């Protein structure tokens, strides 16, 4: 106690005491730390620390692992398999005695029946406007056949790629909860027959879109078909034939009622249209999609070709009719059963819609013993589109690549004209809405005067900075 009272009344000695105390503690620790290696540590403790560090390192490495990191293209058809699985997600909810589609129903207004949100229709509020306005609104017998599914169909999406990186990125991210698996075909030969690098595979191996790679089945076409050297249309068709026949072998646990979707890399479907095919029974096949057709970007709309009279000199000037939009319609979807049993997994036959051809007569007869007879219909009209076809929607350099890659018999083949391959010339076409033949066949679209869902896909609008070149005309960019 006397010791404490001394320091209480002599503060300067207390300060000296604390300073010297800290000095001795610091000096002791310096000596002690030098002897740290002599401290006895059990082998178990050392192994435990080592394992902890190893596990942490393993976690880092596993995060950087992705499907294509060590992918060997030489045995692509031996090292890939994808097993389709059913979704357990509930897409419908009961209201009274009715099943209402969750994404299309206003449940606050629904008491005894399904009250639909804007742009959804039908007794279950599951028909998007693309299917309603173009078909089911006019065919009540078809409407009555539609029944909600407890388990959604699985969707297999096939497409061939060349250099459409931005469009592919947008496709995967906008359809990530809709498409179950992709069959992606790439060749080291262009449609013209010239050797080219596997640009998509190179980007995949570097980690591009690593979070989606498990659902990408990569199909490599390592040769150029001999017949394509004299017939460019055969070369173009062979890509889709090879995609279907080789790609479907990589998909396991398929069912006949699953959906197969075939699109080119510049054809972007709407989520609502695809979900309708997954969520309902009763629609017929094959399915033709109606696409909004734009060129160079979403600001140039493809117009209908002028009529015969409008092409007559002088008379055409007198008629001077306003340009009208041209809707692009393509056969893009059918069931896996139809693809397999009628088309023999040749996806090109779906695109050409030849199910009634005499060569397929026997296959069709066998198929219709257990399935409804095919009856094609169109989903999508203007302005209720089932998707967007953004043709030539690349940078000037990308457009030049497309011109050089085009198959040899799609005349006129603009890549054969050196002056039209000049970047300044291509930039002028994008700016003015001109075409390689000197004409101006497009309709200028004002983004501010057009409903957003009509102007461009939602994902592009939500990422305007990334897709400014496709959304904003060159003269309007800041």
């Amino acid at each position: 106690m006397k010791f404490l009272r001394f320091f209480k009344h002599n503060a300067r000695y207390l300060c000296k005491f604390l300073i010297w105390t800290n000095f001795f503690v610091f000096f002791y620790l310096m000596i002690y730390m030098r002897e740290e290696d002599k401290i006895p540590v059990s082998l178990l403790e050392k192994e435990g620390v080592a394992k902890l560090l190893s596990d942490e390192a393993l976690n880092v490495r596993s995060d950087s692992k992705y499907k294509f990191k060590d992918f060997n293209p030489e045995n692509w058809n031996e090292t890939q398999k994808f097993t389709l699985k059913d979704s357990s997600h509930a897409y419908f909810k009961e209201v009274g005695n009715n099943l209402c589609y969750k994404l299309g129903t206003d449940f606050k207004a629904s008491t005894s029946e399904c009250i639909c949100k804007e742009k959804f229709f039908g007794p279950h509020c599951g028909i998007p406007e693309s299917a309603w306005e173009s078909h089911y609104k006019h065919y009540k017998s078809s409407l009555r056949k539609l029944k909600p599914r407890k388990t959604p169909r699985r969707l297999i999406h096939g497409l061939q790629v060349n250099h459409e990186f931005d469009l592919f990125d947008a496709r995967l991210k906008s359809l990530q909860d809709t498409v179950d698996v992709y069959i992606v075909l790439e060749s080291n030969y262009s449609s013209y027959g010239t050797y080219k690098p596997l640009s998509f595979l190179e980007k995949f191996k570097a980690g591009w879109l690593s979070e989606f790679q498990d659902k990408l089945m990569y199909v490599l076409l390592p040769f150029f078909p001999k017949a394509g050297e004299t017939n460019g249309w055969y070369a173009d068709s062979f890509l889709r034939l090879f995609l279907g026949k080789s790609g479907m072998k990589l998909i396991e646990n398929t069912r006949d009622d699953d959906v197969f979707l075939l699109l080119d890399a510049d054809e972007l479907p709407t989520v609502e249209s695809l979900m309708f095919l997954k969520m309902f029974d009763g629609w017929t096949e094959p399915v033709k999609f109606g696409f909004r057709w734009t060129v160079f970007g979403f600001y140039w709309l493809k117009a209908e070709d002028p009529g015969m009279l409008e092409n007559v000199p002088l008379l055409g000037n007198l008629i001077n009719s306003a340009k009208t939009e041209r809707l692009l319609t393509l056969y893009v979807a059918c069931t896996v059963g139809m693809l397999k049993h009628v088309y023999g997994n040749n996806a090109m036959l779906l695109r050409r819609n030849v199910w009634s051809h005499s060569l397929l007569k026997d296959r069709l007869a066998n198929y219709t013993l257990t399935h409804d007879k095919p009856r094609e219909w169109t989903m999508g009209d203007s302005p209720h589109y089932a998707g967007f076809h953004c043709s030539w929607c690349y940078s000037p350099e990308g457009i030049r690549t497309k011109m050089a890659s085009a198959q040899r018999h799609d005349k006129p083949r603009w890549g054969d004209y050196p002056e039209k391959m000049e970047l300044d010339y291509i930039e002028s076409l994008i700016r003015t809405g001109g075409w390689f033949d000197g004409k101006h066949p497009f309709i200028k679209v004002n983004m501010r005067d057009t409903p957003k869902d009509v102007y461009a896909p939602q994902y592009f609008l939500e990422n305007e900075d990334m897709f400014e070149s496709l959304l904003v005309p060159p003269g309007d960019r800041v």
Side-chain angles (χ1 to χ4, degrees), residues 12 82 141 157 183 311 323 341 453:
R12 63 191 182 91
F82 187 92
S141 59
H157 183 358
I183 301 174
N311 285 322
K323 295 177 181 177
H341 301 298
D453 61 326

Side-chain angles (χ1 to χ4, degrees), residues 283-307:
W283 50 267
T284 59
E285 58 182 332
V287 186
K288 183 191 290 188
F289 273 23
F291 292 94
R292 179 176 173 89
W293 188 356
T294 58
V295 183
F296 298 140
F298 298 110
Y299 39 81
W300 290 116
L301 189 63
K302 183 71 171 71
E304 286 284 4
D305 293 332

Side-chain angles (χ1 to χ4, degrees), residues 297-344:
F298 298 110
Y299 39 81
W300 290 116
L301 189 63
K302 183 71 171 71
E304 286 284 4
D305 293 332
M308 293 181 59
L309 294 179
E310 293 172 281
N311 285 322
V312 177
L314 299 179
L315 183 59
N317 293 333
L318 293 175
I319 297 175
N320 195 28
S321 59
K323 295 177 181 177
T324 57
E325 174 191 356
R326 180 177 177 180
L327 183 76
L328 177 68
T329 57
L330 298 167
Y331 289 95
V332 301
C334 68
T335 63
V336 166
M338 184 174 188
L339 178 71
K340 178 181 178 180
H341 301 298
V342 179
Y343 295 141

